[in-house]
Amino acid sequence: MFVSDFRKEFYEVVQSQRVLLFVASDVDALCACKILQALFQCDHVQYTLVPVSGWQELETAFLEHKEQIKLLIKQDDDLEVPAYEDIFRDEEEDEEHSGNDSDGSEPSEKRTRLEEEIVEQTMRRRQRREWEARRRDILFDYEQYEYHGTSSAMVMFELAWMLSKDLNDMLWWAIVGLTDQWVQDKITQMKYVTDVGVLQRHVSRHNHRNEDEENTLSVDCTRISFEYDLRLVLYQHWSLHDSLCNTSYTAARFKLWSVHGQKRLQEFLADMGLPLKQVKQKFQAMDISLKENLREMIEESANKFGMKDMRVQTFSIHFGFKHKFLASDVVFATMSLMESPEKDGSGTDHFIQALDSLSRSNLDKLYHGLELAKKQLRATQQTIASCLCTNLVISQGPFLYCSLMEGTPDVMLFSRPASLSLLSKHLLKSFVCSTKNRRCKLLPLVMAAPLSMEHGTVTVVGIPPETDSSDRKNSFFGRAFEKAAESTSSRMLHNHFDLSVIELKAEDRSKFLDALISLLS
């Protein structure tokens, strides 16, 4: 069923029952889960939490509990979901007139009635064929592209607000969920800015304090603030130099994989007047006099170097006076914990660690996630530099293609879907900045990375063109991968919730790519 009133048709339905909660392995889903957990705790709702990383795990869990499950889907205007009557049709109407009347009427009356029924059935069959043709067209248009609507965490926070149970922690989780969509390039800049405006009003409401003594904040309180901050990853927990080198935006604009790009970075730092000694030490250890005007200095110099979007609307959180995090810091830390290559735990263990890191009582896990994120970001930029310097990105006609070989340094860091998707998006941005071929700048990217040497499988991801100027981030690769695999009998597993990510047998890759080229040409 579609849910229009989330409070009455969803929360009040499950409030009096034991709830089975399926949570996907992405940061937005984790944040939505945290908000729901807090609501369930308020209302003493019993629940069981089941992490699911893909369709297979979801199907298994569904079959175990199918007698208790009701499917609820939030109706989102952004998603343009087809109407029920356009997709589903009740068969009762077709069966109503299928029986033959055998009353005692005159033969002439029977003949007349039979003729009328034949005409009526013919009309009904024609309407049925028209409806089925229209249904095929609607489903093709709807399923042709994959795109994302409003953040799940924002939807859950809206529910908490309607219930008058919204807290500052819930608001922060909603902010992190939205930031996850922006960091992973799932929504457009316009959608991000619009949703930031919605959350900013809630931030003002929850974090407004007067300056008198009665309203002074306790030392260990949580404070959220709106900021127009630098577009540099983890810079407050790293050195400014490392952040500049490992941020996709600056690395692509400077072309840091080249000697000329490294020289431009040095010129950029010189233009700001920042000594290398200060830039290469931890941000927290920099001179206070330099940090006071750092944002303005960087923005001014960035404009000279053609980087007009060096600052971005975001939010930060303070836990007391010692711990401060930007929303993007938490996204990268949580994502790294969830997709950690460490073999000392299962996928469920990593899921629980990531979920715990979102609680302010587990800051040690969050800081551990930040260290993993730094390692992941360094590996990402090193892999991008390697791919561009060795010309691994090649044009296949209708799309660009890049394949990471077994034995590539840190290749196992990119066997997980979110990590490979982020690498692919950053690689495409860097390639567009480096190539002089105008046609290549308009092409999407297909990237493959080894998944399991034992099973001989690779992960393949499709990324839409970097110059896509549509109203939403559309990806057509889900259906394209499906058709290419069907036509070549390639052994493919479409297990991930993101349809543009698949698992493929390595020996089938060549014929799969040939079919994809033919399909998209």
Side-chain angles (χ1 to χ4, degrees), residues 16-28:
S16 58
Q17 304 176 32
R18 184 178 180 89
V19 179
L20 181 64
L21 193 57
F22 296 121
V23 185
S25 298
D26 70 71
V27 178
D28 182 32

Side-chain angles (χ1 to χ4, degrees), residues 335-345 350 368 372-373 375-376 410-416 419:
M335 193 192 312
S336 297
L337 284 169
M338 195 155 39
E339 299 213 327
S340 171
E342 296 174 356
K343 296 181 179 179
D344 56 349
H350 293 154
H368 176 57
L372 290 176
K375 182 180 178 182
Q376 184 83 37
D410 299 315
V411 71
M412 292 315 296
L413 289 175
F414 306 110
S415 61
R416 300 295 296 274
S419 303

